[in-house]
Amino acid sequence: MILDHYKNPLNKKLSSTFDAQVHHINPSCGDEITLNLSTVEGVITSITWDGQGCSISQASVSMLSDLVTDKTLEQADAIVKSFSELMASKGTAAGDPEVLEDAVVFAGVSKFPGRVKCALLGWMAFKDAAIQ
Ligand code: ZN
């Protein structure tokens, strides 16, 4: 599933218009993500991104972009919170598929502290864009 998103990423084409744009890097791995966010009356209408780096970072932002589009900022915030908790679980949590859908595949990554930052990069970029 992770490799599938890495090879066929969703929403990987920066839109020309956006309400917020952020650029986040993960120096420990060399991952980079630029993310554009558009909202209309508190609903996320578009998330587009571009980036490079390891398969975990790129697949994770691909899943995030698909998961939170058409959600309210409030719903998206709860999803990001749930994913952050999963990533902090050190392998002890499985993730809630009702909230995280396909992103529960990253549960195993939480066992590897060096990779957690890779998985969280896109989610933190989104969080940053959402408060702008
Ligand atoms: Zn990485």
Side-chain angles (χ1 to χ4, degrees), residues 36-111:
N36 286 356
L37 169 71
S38 297
T39 59
V40 174
E41 289 170 7
V43 176
I44 296 155
T45 51
S46 155
I47 290 183
T48 57
W49 61 278
D50 197 11
Q52 54 186 350
C54 68
S55 57
I56 291 174
S57 66
Q58 305 297 299
S60 186
V61 68
S62 170
M63 272 186 219
L64 160 92
S65 68
D66 191 42
L67 190 56
V68 302
T69 299
D70 297 328
K71 301 274 196 311
T72 65
L73 287 166
E74 215 163 56
Q75 288 170 322
D77 189 52
I79 293 168
V80 172
K81 216 166 265 169
S82 175
F83 190 75
S84 302
E85 282 167 14
L86 178 61
M87 285 302 106
S89 75
K90 300 187 169 77
T92 61
D96 183 353
E98 299 254 319
V99 177
L100 295 174
E101 300 181 22
D102 291 348
V104 295
V105 299
F106 287 98
V109 173
S110 70
K111 278 182 257 179

